[in-house]
Amino acid sequence: MKYSKEYVTKEEHIDVQGIMDGLYYPFYMEYCRHQYIDEVLGFNLENEAKNGVNMVLSGYTISFLRSLKKGDTFTVTCELFRDKGDAPKIHFKQSIILNGKVTTKATFTGTCVPATGGRPFLPESLKALIEEAPVLED
């Protein structure tokens, strides 16, 4: 299921060139991804952390295709994928879209770890949802 949220570029995120600083693109993707994780997957990051389960990123790749400018209204998408090798990982493909064109695309990979330390794992509640997700192909 593809999920999306709309955002407006904030003035404080604009650099001296009049475009959004590259640092902020992943932040907008994070806002969308966290809402997706909560609203669609039913995994509330704050509650889970209080219960000793931390969802963390293990990596991401990002490609910048076009720049956003001050005041742009854009859409961020998020879609869940399961790991090809059945590792305890989840993948999120995300895009930033402005006027029907992709400006940025990324894949974020995450897992869960016990707050006290230990090996990566996926809680049973997430495993059931991930079984329905498509496999992330390279």
Side-chain angles (χ1 to χ4, degrees):
M1 171 189 158
K2 193 175 268 190
Y3 177 87
S4 64
K5 286 285 185 178
E6 197 169 89
Y7 301 93
V8 176
T9 309
K10 295 180 181 180
E11 185 171 353
E12 61 267 23
H13 296 166
I14 302 303
D15 68 15
V16 297
Q17 301 173 92
I19 58 176
M20 189 162 79
D21 188 300
L23 170 70
Y24 294 103
Y25 293 77
F27 280 107
Y28 286 101
M29 290 176 161
E30 178 183 64
Y31 303 149
C32 179
R33 190 172 59 256
H34 283 189
Q35 288 179 302
Y36 173 86
I37 290 167
D38 187 29
E39 294 173 18
V40 177
L41 300 183
F43 189 94
N44 182 278
L45 294 166
E46 186 175 346
N47 290 341
E48 294 294 337
K50 287 177 184 174
N51 292 324
V53 178
N54 292 333
M55 184 179 283
V56 297
L57 286 179
S58 58
Y60 70 91
T61 59
I62 191 165
S63 297
F64 301 98
L65 309 171
R66 294 175 180 80
S67 297
L68 294 173
K69 297 178 180 164
K70 181 176 97 174
D72 280 344
T73 298
F74 57 94
T75 301
V76 180
T77 65
C78 185
E79 192 171 6
L80 177 70
F81 289 82
R82 61 188 163 95
D83 194 69
K84 188 177 186 176
D86 290 327
K89 296 178 183 179
I90 50 179
H91 307 281
F92 301 93
K93 280 195 170 191
Q94 295 191 255
S95 295
I96 295 178
I97 301 166
L98 176 67
N99 299 326
K101 295 183 179 178
V102 175
T103 66
T104 311
K105 57 185 180 177
T107 302
F108 291 83
T109 299
T111 190
C112 292
V113 293
T116 56
R119 300 194 55 81
F121 73 102
L122 293 176
E124 292 302 319
S125 60
L126 287 178
K127 283 183 182 178
L129 295 169
I130 293 165
E131 286 177 7
E132 304 297 319
V135 172
L136 181 69
E137 299 294 336
D138 297 329

